[in-house]
């Protein structure tokens, strides 16, 4: 029977270190989530972000903001009468925090109640960021909502 010497200890420590490095290279990345960008044109969008900042600031100054309600058949976004002109077109973007494939963008016309519906068929279980943009008297507005669809 051989004795365990310091040479064996160094060899064992080196083998453990090499095994750890190989684990980090081959096994560890398998469990990592994908990190999709919100937009493929990220840098171009970033340059135009000042318009978004101004639109959000304009919306913050409104006395009444649009509000949303989660209903069994979808999400209804309603606008107060003084916030928007009747029958106007509104742009919404629905970003899924879990899967880029679930993102939706659409222009919609408001109904007679100054509201529109995001139907439940466009949604699946998960969390979303809903961005609503509109224009009144050549002034841009935007509000963002965080919501969870069950």
């Amino acid at each position: 029977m051989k004795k365990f010497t310091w040479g064996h200890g160094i060899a064992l420590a080196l083998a453990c270190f090499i095994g750890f490095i190989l684990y980090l290279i081959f096994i560890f990345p398998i469990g990592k989530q994908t990190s999709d960008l919100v937009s493929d044109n990220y840098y171009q969008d970033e340059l135009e972000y000042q318009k978004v900042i101004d639109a959000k600031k304009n919306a913050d100054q409104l006395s009444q903001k649009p509000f949303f309600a989660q209903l069994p058949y979808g999400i209804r976004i309603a606008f107060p009468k003084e916030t928007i002109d009747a029958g106007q077109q509104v742009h919404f973007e629905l970003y899924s925090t879990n899967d880029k494939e679930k993102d939706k963008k659409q222009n919609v016309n408001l109904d007679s109640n100054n509201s529109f519906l995001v139907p439940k068929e466009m949604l699946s279980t998960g969390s979303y960021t809903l961005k609503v943009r509109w224009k009144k008297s050549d002034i841009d507005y935007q509000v963002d909502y965080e919501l969870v669809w069950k």
Side-chain angles (χ1 to χ4, degrees):
M1 186 156 123
K2 285 192 161 190
K3 285 187 165 184
F4 190 79
T5 65
W6 63 270
H8 293 116
I10 290 176
L12 182 63
L14 189 57
C16 288
F17 179 72
I18 291 171
F20 175 70
I21 296 299
L22 290 175
Y23 167 78
L24 289 178
I25 292 171
F26 295 111
I27 306 299
F28 185 69
I30 293 172
K32 302 267 294 179
Q33 285 186 326
T34 60
S35 56
D36 295 330
L37 292 175
V38 171
S39 170
D40 292 332
N41 300 323
Y42 177 77
Y43 293 107
Q44 183 64 30
D45 292 347
E46 189 67 28
L47 293 174
E48 299 202 11
Y49 194 67
Q50 185 60 45
K51 294 177 186 175
V52 173
I53 293 171
D54 294 340
K56 286 182 179 183
K57 190 184 295 184
N58 293 337
D60 285 340
Q61 295 173 354
L62 293 172
S63 60
Q64 291 184 320
K65 297 179 186 150
F67 56 92
F68 75 94
Q70 291 188 15
L71 306 167
Y73 47 87
I75 300 170
R76 178 161 300 286
I77 294 89
F79 289 82
K81 298 251 187 250
E82 60 273 356
T83 304
I84 196 165
D85 298 327
Q88 186 174 344
Q89 196 171 61
V90 174
H91 178 77
F92 78 87
E93 297 175 7
L94 193 63
Y95 291 107
S96 170
T97 56
N98 301 331
D99 186 3
K100 181 180 178 181
E101 300 301 318
K102 297 178 185 176
D103 293 352
K104 308 281 190 253
K105 296 180 182 182
Q106 191 172 349
N107 291 324
V108 293
N109 291 319
L110 297 180
D111 60 17
S112 61
N113 296 324
N114 275 359
S115 64
F116 69 92
L117 178 73
V118 179
K120 71 177 183 179
E121 292 78 28
M122 291 180 83
L123 303 162
S124 60
T125 302
S127 60
Y128 292 90
T129 300
L130 174 64
K131 298 181 178 196
V132 181
R133 270 189 247 139
W134 73 98
K135 194 177 257 198
K136 181 179 180 181
S137 304
D138 288 333
I139 298 174
D140 292 324
Y141 297 93
Q142 178 174 329
V143 291
D144 296 351
Y145 302 106
E146 302 295 324
L147 57 100
V148 176
W149 182 258
K150 296 180 182 180

